[in-house]
Amino acid sequence: MSIDSVKIEQPGKKVLLTGNEAIARGAIEAGMKYATSYPGSPSAEVLDVLAKVGNPFGIYAEWSTNEKVASEAAAAASFAGIRSMTIMKPDGLNVAIDFFTSLAYSGINAGMVVVLGDDPSAHSSIKEEDSRYLAKLSRLPILEPMNIQEAKDLTIKAFELSEFIGLPVVLRGVTRICHASGLVTLGDIEKAKAPVKAELKEKFLCQPLAHPELEQKVKKAALWAENNNTIEYSGPANAESIVIATGPCALYAKEALIELGLTDEIGVLRLKMSWPLPDKTLLGYLKGTKEVIFAEETDPFIEEGITSLVAYHGSEIGPIKFFGKRNEYVKGPMGAGIGELNTDILIDTLAEIKGIKRPDYSGSTASCVEHVCGSIPLRDRAFCAGCPHRASYWAIKAALSLDGNNGFVLGDIGCYAMGRGPTGYNMLSTVHSMGSGVGLANGFGTMQRFDFKQPVIAVVGDSTFYHAVIPALINAKHNSAKFLCVILDNSTTAMTGHQPHSGSVIDARGVDAPALSIEKIISGIEIPYTIADPYDVNDTIDVILAKLPEPGPKVLILRQECVLLKSKVGKNQKMYIDQTLCLGSKCGCGDLCSRAFNCPANINAPEQGKMIDQALCVGCGVCATLCPTHAIKLVEGS
Amino acid sequence: MEITISSKRLQQEVIQTELCTSCGMCIGLCPYIKSFKEKTAFIHQCQVDDGKCYNICPRGETDWPQMDQEIFGKQRTDHVLGNYNQLLFARAKESDFSQKGQYSGLTSALVSYALSIGEIDGAVLSGGEPGKMPEPTLATTRDDVLAAAGSKYSAVPTLLSLNKAIEEGFKNLGVVGRPCQVLAARKMQLRYNNPSDLPGNKIKLIIGLFCFWALSPEFYEFLAEKTKGANIASLDITTEDLVVRTNGEELKLPVENIRRFICPTCQQCFDPTSEFADLSIGSTEFDPGWNTLIIRTDKGRELIEQSIKDGIIEVYTYPAERIPLLLQAVGNKKKRVLEEWEPTYLKLNESYHRAVERGM
Ligand SMILES: Cc1cc2nc3c(=O)[nH]c(=O)nc-3n(C[C@H](O)[C@H](O)[C@H](O)COP(=O)(O)OP(=O)(O)OC[C@H]3O[C@@H](n4cnc5c(N)ncnc54)[C@H](O)[C@@H]3O)c2cc1C
């Protein structure tokens, strides 16, 4: 599992790849030359990989400012005859949706694949959104790989389909595909070496008259699905009960059937393409079936498609009993349509439907998790030791308390969204989508006429600033919205793995690139700004207090590099605790460092008292500034 | 369930009820309590039971008779002026003090004298330009004291300077404060003095002002507006007027105009004359060249005797005809507080209630 495996030129060789690497490999094998993305989990690494290994294949790869621009740039490549790919998570598709619904009408030229990394259970997202509905809305056919090999293979198929119908095609990965690893048999890379020439020869206009043609393309896609083995059946011939599954859920279903000893009774029908459906082939399988169980993540997408299909053909295929999310048979611990599926959930579902007892199986996922995790102490999500965001939130919290006018903080998307939890002192009153904090601040900031008096702070990251905040700030300036926008500038896109952004001095491929200065952009909008160091907590508090009452929009840039980047360079300072000065839990301190400020490097050891965890501490010195007795000190000369 | 965590009690009983007097005594005792624009703020929850912050708060539960017992060793007989030794007119003799001071400059002269004889090594005062937001200060010289002279009519959190000075190593500190500040400093002195390195042991002299109310900082905005930004040379509040002297001009505004700025907590104040101070000093409401002086403790008496001997101040018998006026003003205020508010922080015994029934 090394990204070097992605570029190996040995067709037939088996290598271990992650799902994201497999998608990148598929794109290379398909001769894709132009890739764009805005980083988002779980699919962020696809572009990372393409940027790192793509050069010898002449691949252009960029981290775009946001998903809308990314999609537009990729579409341009397609228009000019170059296969392209754009990669995003569902939140990104939401941002780009206006373009995609228009792109459907204009159509494209060379193959264009949209990789969507859905995140069922929202492991690293603020919501679990099933992107397939918006894909369908934009008339983007959807392919869903079941395993890592297929992540590569379906990527190649997606380009073929895209060119066959003249529309972009979605490859939908979920976290368990993107982040999982598996053996992949490499394919031919010859196509990647063929030179390409970009030239715009046609017009691509979105116009209502194109609608009939678009619907024809969708029909063509369904036909493609019929003719390209997009349905795979395994199980007994003429089974009365079948599970219809997409993506990795098919594997969970097969495993569940083995565990329950039902493999001779129930078959598994897997759809590689979840929209549009190959109606004819599907009806063939459904005829004679008495029971259908749906296994897909997260929403009942194929469930709706197939039950609707059956409703039109009831008289031909006879009555079928469906078990899915609508009647709440297929459901995880949180309910139907919520969270990932897994083998355990499907064992329970199938056992209930079949009226059999769930086997007492000690090897179940749940019991394994319990066995392993039982002894692991629960740990809340937290900022890293020395994270500048912790210091920023401490300062914001202190400033708002001092100001005493019931001020509040509007959050945004990034590591700092954890400001909603204890690690950020529960400071956030709202968290929605990229840029929404500042958008909401526009609303609050213009409600003075309704006797609104609370001070408003909107926090955004640097990457978010470029992504979606600039229009909101322009709006604020023009409408004199009163709020303080605090830009937590840690010089990177930290949450998704430190990708460069428009303010970085290098681009995705590591090549020098012009860095856009946040302050110059803000000056251009004529919003007053101040730059402060969040590690200088007291100064930051003073600046916030001074800025809050000023009219109109104001910006405070709290600039301090992400500690993970810094720690790669090596830490420069060491802290220690002078036990003769430390008050510990007594009045006058009350565990400020380990409880209140709560940096993971400040520990309260039962016997030794307060200590600095030297393995974690980056020497930021914030706890030393805050310590009421100055017991936390810098190791001289460190 | 009874709350035992001090900071929570303080927030519930004092901050949220707007009873905080902004004395400043809790500020800087820990990293969680801070002051901004004369408002006390909690920036983070503390979890300590029996913490200093509540125990020294003048609006925390206060057993009045017990305070008398601990300070004076006896209960009071005078329910209007509290325990005292002598009621006098007094004035500073040096013109520097009378010029810079609010009235005769008696307070400043005494503080300066106490510093000069080494009775104290620092004095916690309220400095700043007249008409501007004042600042807690620490004075160690005569010049420092003169710079902080004059009444500032808002709730300066003076005592945060006391905490700072103790942290900086001052060992014999003097305090000039409003009655609430006197009570807070006394609580600190009485409750946290053993072992001797505790802060209470560093408080050596407490001079209290007469004070019927202080104003919120919006008062300064009001002033700036009324004076159209002119430099304010001095301020005085008499029974009828707010008197503002700018360069050459005198502006008189009826006291009624500023009543809306009175801090809500002042309405529940039971102590207009700093009953727990060593010395209490007020105006004479009559002759700005003199001050009213109440000598309360032995320590206060010794300082007065010595400063008279050294020619720093002089005293004069309190005019008999003015005594009823003083008693009436103070007595009425105390009566009103008990009858209208029944403050929950006040723990009094029967003798106080009987005194109210008698008309104080
Ligand atoms: C808010 C307020 C209300 C008052 N109300 C009355 C009243 O109703 N009746 C009455 O007789 N007297 C009142 N006084 C007292 C009076 O104004 C004089 O301060 C007092 O008589 C001492 O006069 P002096 O000439 O000795 O003053 P100075 O020698 O000028 O000394 C005054 C001292 O008070 C300190 N000080 C000034 N402002 C404050 C403050 N806000 N808080 C704490 N310390 C401060 C200064 O640092 C200085 O050390 C009040 C004082 C204040 C501050």
Side-chain angles (χ1 to χ4, degrees), chain B residues 54-347:
Chain B
Y54 183 84
N55 292 341
I56 49 77
C57 177
R59 291 291 193 261
E61 209 173 84
T62 307
D63 187 328
W64 221 260
Q66 193 194 329
M67 290 299 295
D68 266 343
Q69 203 64 40
E70 286 182 57
I71 299 163
F72 305 105
K74 61 178 182 202
Q75 289 302 308
R76 61 184 58 188
T77 48
D78 183 335
H79 278 285
V80 178
L81 295 182
N83 268 306
Y84 71 94
N85 187 300
Q86 253 186 307
L87 170 65
L88 295 163
F89 266 22
R91 71 173 172 192
K93 286 173 78 172
E94 234 184 288
S95 65
D96 274 1
F97 290 109
S98 52
Q99 267 164 27
K100 294 258 165 91
Q102 187 63 24
Y103 300 116
S104 84
L106 175 69
T107 313
S108 300
L110 287 170
V111 171
S112 169
Y113 177 67
L115 276 172
S116 72
I117 59 169
E119 173 75 18
I120 54 175
D121 55 5
V124 173
L125 305 176
S126 306
E129 302 285 307
K132 302 250 168 65
M133 274 288 272
E135 276 167 22
T137 57
L138 177 72
T140 54
T141 64
R142 183 176 185 274
D143 285 349
D144 293 347
V145 176
L146 281 169
S151 300
K152 326 295 184 296
Y153 287 100
S154 65
V156 201
T158 321
L159 297 180
L160 68 84
S161 271
L162 180 60
N163 289 329
K164 237 189 258 168
I166 292 168
E167 207 190 297
E168 283 166 19
F170 284 82
K171 297 209 159 51
N172 300 300
L173 287 158
V175 176
V176 174
R178 307 183 297 280
C180 48
Q181 297 179 310
V182 167
L183 175 54
R186 243 344 154 199
K187 283 185 173 182
M188 180 64 103
Q189 191 190 43
L190 295 171
R191 292 181 187 172
Y192 297 95
N193 61 14
N194 190 14
S196 62
D197 59 340
L198 285 188
N201 231 25
K202 318 283 163 68
I203 304 170
K204 292 289 149 68
L205 175 68
I206 303 178
I207 300 183
L209 304 174
F210 284 17
C211 175
F212 283 73
W213 37 252
L215 304 171
S216 70
E218 285 90 70
F219 166 65
Y220 299 111
E221 288 163 32
F222 166 83
L223 259 186
E225 201 183 296
K226 289 289 170 202
T227 54
K228 302 190 179 72
N231 219 20
I232 296 172
S234 79
L235 277 181
D236 190 19
I237 301 180
T238 68
T239 38
E240 287 96 37
D241 293 310
L242 164 69
V243 187
V244 189
R245 269 173 287 266
T246 55
N247 307 328
E249 274 181 66
E250 194 181 272
L251 182 72
K252 270 195 182 177
L253 295 162
V255 169
E256 290 316 313
N257 287 10
I258 55 169
R259 283 199 180 273
R260 63 193 151 112
F261 301 117
I262 295 176
C263 300
T265 184
C266 299
Q267 295 180 311
Q268 298 203 39
C269 171
F270 187 63
D271 179 14
T273 63
S274 292
E275 294 172 4
F276 303 124
D278 293 309
L279 298 168
S280 300
I281 303 179
S283 82
T284 58
E285 305 287 7
F286 160 66
D287 181 350
W290 289 83
N291 282 96
T292 296
L293 168 69
I294 304 178
I295 303 173
R296 295 189 185 274
T297 63
D298 288 346
K299 170 166 263 166
R301 185 174 45 76
E302 281 159 24
L303 183 69
I304 294 297
E305 282 169 1
Q306 223 173 322
S307 56
I308 294 171
K309 205 171 86 208
D310 285 350
I312 305 294
I313 67 162
E314 60 184 323
V315 297
Y316 188 81
T317 321
Y318 202 91
E321 73 279 9
R322 296 208 60 84
I323 292 179
L325 296 175
L326 175 67
L327 292 180
Q328 194 186 25
V330 176
N332 281 348
K333 160 80 175 151
K334 299 187 74 162
K335 195 161 163 255
R336 203 163 52 238
V337 168
L338 285 190
E339 286 177 346
E340 287 177 20
W341 293 95
E342 295 179 52
T344 46
Y345 74 91
L346 267 183
K347 300 287 167 247

Side-chain angles (χ1 to χ4, degrees), chain A residues 394 397-398 401-405 425 538 545 549 585-593 595-597 626 628 630, chain B residues 28-37 39-53 167 192:
Chain A
W394 184 271
K397 177 183 163 71
S401 315
L402 290 173
D403 179 70
N405 287 301
Y425 318 116
N538 293 325
L545 281 170
S585 309
K586 292 203 207 77
C587 178
C589 178
D591 300 312
L592 171 96
C593 58
R595 178 191 64 85
F597 183 58
L626 297 176
H630 312 293
Chain B
L29 287 179
C30 77
Y32 311 117
I33 315 179
K34 307 218 181 254
S35 176
F36 182 66
K37 293 196 177 160
K39 267 205 187 126
T40 306
F42 281 78
I43 64 160
H44 203 95
Q45 257 329 318
C46 165
Q47 296 186 323
V48 179
D49 280 341
D50 197 30
K52 293 190 201 79
C53 60
E167 207 190 297
Y192 297 95

Side-chain angles (χ1 to χ4, degrees), chain A residues 284-602:
Chain A
Y285 280 108
L286 289 167
K287 198 159 182 174
T289 304
K290 299 271 182 298
E291 290 179 335
V292 168
I293 300 119
F294 293 104
E296 61 181 322
E297 289 165 335
T298 331
D299 291 347
F301 183 76
I302 55 163
E303 179 178 329
E304 286 166 2
I306 291 169
T307 51
S308 154
L309 174 69
V310 169
Y312 283 94
H313 297 274
S315 56
E316 303 149 40
I317 58 172
I320 299 178
K321 179 134 181 54
F322 292 107
F323 300 91
K325 284 167 183 150
R326 186 169 183 133
N327 52 8
E328 298 194 20
Y329 275 91
V330 183
K331 60 170 191 290
M334 312 257 286
I338 305 165
E340 290 180 310
L341 294 185
N342 57 37
T343 306
D344 279 339
I345 293 171
L346 291 181
I347 288 176
D348 285 342
T349 306
L350 291 164
E352 189 191 345
I353 293 168
K354 287 289 155 192
I356 54 180
K357 215 172 138 292
R358 187 191 204 286
D360 185 17
Y361 176 53
S362 60
S364 72
T365 323
S367 62
C368 288
V369 169
E370 204 176 292
H371 179 74
V372 177
C373 298
S375 53
I376 300 176
L378 279 179
R379 179 178 171 274
D380 215 348
R381 290 182 181 201
F383 295 130
C384 304
C387 175
H389 295 335
R390 177 179 292 103
S392 297
Y393 277 119
W394 184 271
I396 290 171
K397 177 183 163 71
L400 287 180
S401 315
L402 290 173
D403 179 70
N405 287 301
N406 240 338
F408 55 83
V409 186
L410 307 170
D412 220 292
I413 309 302
C415 290
Y416 53 95
M418 289 193 290
R420 62 165 69 186
T423 195
Y425 318 116
N426 307 302
M427 284 309 289
L428 299 182
S429 291
T430 67
V431 173
H432 295 88
S433 56
M434 300 279 289
S436 294
V438 183
L440 289 166
N442 272 274
F444 289 112
T446 46
M447 287 198 271
Q448 289 85 356
R449 74 185 57 198
F450 307 118
D451 204 27
F452 178 81
K453 294 205 177 86
Q454 293 159 280
V456 179
I457 291 180
V459 291
V460 299
D462 40 339
S463 192
T464 307
F465 170 79
Y466 299 105
H467 181 288
V469 168
I470 297 168
L473 284 176
I474 291 174
N475 190 71
K477 174 70 188 177
H478 184 67
N479 295 297
S480 305
K482 180 180 176 184
F483 64 89
L484 176 64
C485 174
V486 178
I487 301 176
L488 305 169
D489 179 7
N490 60 4
S491 315
T492 187
T493 317
M495 187 82 175
T496 45
H498 301 108
Q499 292 81 4
H501 54 54
S502 310
S504 307
V505 292
I506 50 161
D507 68 10
R509 296 160 298 168
V511 177
D512 287 352
L516 278 85
S517 137
I518 295 177
E519 49 270 41
K520 279 192 185 149
I521 293 171
I522 293 166
S523 310
I525 312 173
E526 295 182 21
I527 291 180
Y529 71 89
T530 308
I531 302 174
D533 176 359
Y535 285 166
D536 191 343
V537 182
N538 293 325
D539 177 52
T540 304
I541 295 172
D542 289 344
V543 175
I544 297 172
L545 281 170
K547 289 233 149 203
L548 279 181
E550 288 172 14
K554 290 86 56 180
V555 166
L556 169 61
I557 302 170
L558 291 180
R559 186 164 284 158
Q560 188 58 253
E561 198 182 16
C562 171
V563 283
L564 288 181
L565 286 183
K566 220 179 298 174
S567 59
K568 282 183 189 160
V569 190
K571 72 172 171 185
N572 34 17
Q573 295 199 136
K574 277 187 137 192
M575 315 301 297
Y576 75 102
I577 294 183
D578 180 342
Q579 299 295 347
T580 61
L581 294 176
C582 176
L583 280 181
S585 309
K586 292 203 207 77
C587 178
C589 178
D591 300 312
L592 171 96
C593 58
S594 62
R595 178 191 64 85
F597 183 58
N598 202 10
C599 173
N602 292 117

